Amino acid sequence: MAWTREQMAQRAAKELRDGFYVNLGIGIPTLVSNYIPDGMSVQLQSENGMLGMGPFPYEGEEDPDLINAGKQTITELPTTSYFSSADSFAMIRGGHIDLSILGAMQVAENGDLANWMIPGKMVKGMGGAMDLVAGVKKVVVVMEHSAKAKDGSVSPKLLKSCDLPLTGARVVDLVITDLGVFSIDKAGSGGMTLIALAEGVTEDAIRAQTEAAFKVALDGSARKAA
Amino acid sequence: MRKVHADATAALAGVLKDDMTVMAGGFGLCGVPDVLIGAIRDSGVKGLTVISNNAGIDGAGLGLLLETRQIRKMISSYVGENKLFAQQYLAGELEIEFNPQGTLAERIRAGGAGIPAFYTKTGYGTLIAEGKETREFGGEHYVMETGLVADLAVVHAWKGDSEGNLVYRKTARNFNPMMATAARVTVAQVENLVEPGEIDPDTIMTAGIFVKRIIHTPQAEKRIEQRTVRKRAA
């Protein structure tokens, strides 16, 4: 059995540490905020200019002046601060954010990431993704292991090299899919390593759906290195 | 010199001309100078290059200027919420220059601060870096990006005084403070207009020197793009 979206978010939450400042992307990454362990202090950054993001408001308490980067209404916390977009990206680009968790269309074995455009289709823009992957200390991708097209065809998303235009070159540290977890030596030549399997998923099943070359270190020894 | 004008049309008088470059504050529909955008639409000025993080949605924000085809080019980071934008872009009627959001914010900040260019890691090794100078500092690769300035900036603030000092509210701040610094003429719409001295000087976010004209827009409608709520515990 592959992991559900919630289980992927739960696994991603294991990358959180006490005192971390974290930016969560749209989709499964947003779910990670539901799994912050009790007693752990984690401040969520929203790149439109807020640190210390609170939950959605109660009905009737929505404030049009208070939204997250997905343009959803949210609330503030006692720890909240607000700032301009320039200050927000100074935080991001300047390496002050500890962890960025985001989705992807493709990841290559050297850490290249593609998640913003498909040539020939209407391009919506990269938003803050290029800044986040270039500036944040640790970049974690959470995505489905394979892409399923409308016609039913399946194509791998973990590749030798991305064929879509890049969001960032050699930027990804960790990939969590519905089948398992991979670490990437983005700064060196260590490539990609499978470090965990989803319950009931075999290494062979992963190989069958993965184009990228990867080593295997399931005993946890590679996790420290990552 | 009086900075306070009676309405948006009066505040924009003598500033608007075809083919000009306009910065418009806001993120999504939050902190958008919608009254000033409405007056730009009513003026009929066309061929605009608009620098704004987003392009509004159909019927709101910069969507108003797309409906009337007054925009020739957008410089933005994300335009995904606008069907009209997609139609005009695919028909070749509209040009788009995508900038990473942080690069866009810093280009505007730099432009306003008299800095012609800077280096950033963002976008190195991607399409964004093509044709741009790159340079290595301390073993890391950087892309040179240029500062941005405009003929006109329109911004939204929560509070302002008649000297043009501004205070923004919550995430409605976003791009407004940088844009206020980066145009030949900056016009602000403020929800609350007060006399000098009524804003604690320590809390002023944009100093009045950057704001040439100001209008009071107490009834400006605020729209929510994605209304998300949680249930109260029973």
Side-chain angles (χ1 to χ4, degrees), chain A residues 181 193-197 203 206 215-223:
Chain A
V181 183
T193 306
L194 174 64
I195 60 170
L197 294 168
E203 202 182 306
I206 286 190
K215 298 189 285 267
V216 181
L218 294 171
D219 58 0
S221 58
R223 194 168 301 176

Side-chain angles (χ1 to χ4, degrees), chain A residues 105-121:
Chain A
M105 297 171 185
Q106 297 179 337
V107 177
E109 61 194 43
N110 67 350
D112 287 358
L113 166 70
N115 74 352
W116 80 283
M117 77 176 280
I118 300 173
K121 291 203 175 174

Side-chain angles (χ1 to χ4, degrees), chain A residues 47-50 55-76 82-87 89 93 116-117 122-128 130-131 134-135 165-169, chain B residues 27-28 30 54 77-81 85-86 89-90 98-103 105-106 109 120-128 169-175 177-178 191 222-232:
Chain A
E47 65 265 26
N48 54 319
M50 180 184 195
F56 293 150
Y58 292 119
E59 199 167 345
E61 295 180 0
E62 308 92 323
D63 183 341
D65 288 343
L66 182 44
I67 62 169
N68 64 17
K71 285 116 184 172
Q72 298 170 313
T73 46
I74 49 166
T75 54
E76 66 185 26
Y82 298 110
F83 32 82
S84 72
S85 300
D87 287 343
F89 283 93
R93 202 187 303 102
W116 80 283
M117 77 176 280
M122 179 62 201
V123 180
K124 292 180 172 185
M126 72 292 281
M130 285 193 178
D131 308 277
L166 296 185
T167 305
Chain B
F27 182 97
C30 183
N54 311 101
S77 87
Y78 189 82
V79 297
E81 319 304 341
F85 189 100
Y89 174 77
L90 294 171
F98 282 118
N99 282 201
Q101 196 174 132
T103 294
E106 190 64 12
R109 197 199 68 79
T120 175
K121 260 190 238 180
T122 303
Y124 180 81
T126 76
L127 285 177
I128 292 304
R169 183 172 177 271
K170 302 185 188 282
T171 56
R173 190 183 319 187
N174 56 64
F175 282 80
M178 296 87 76
E191 294 171 49
K222 290 187 192 176
R223 296 185 46 165
I224 291 175
E225 205 166 326
Q226 305 279 345
R227 187 179 301 275
T228 46
V229 295
R230 69 186 141 135
K231 291 252 184 295
R232 283 174 203 277

Side-chain angles (χ1 to χ4, degrees), chain B residues 7 15 22 26 33 41-43 46 48 51 60 74 80 83 88 101 103-104 116 123 185 187-188 206-207 210:
Chain B
D7 57 31
V15 177
V22 180
R41 177 195 57 193
D42 295 346
S43 78
K46 57 185 190 298
L48 300 175
I51 301 167
M74 288 289 311
K83 290 190 197 71
Q88 290 180 26
Q101 196 174 132
T103 294
L104 181 63
V185 177
V187 183
T206 291
F210 296 116

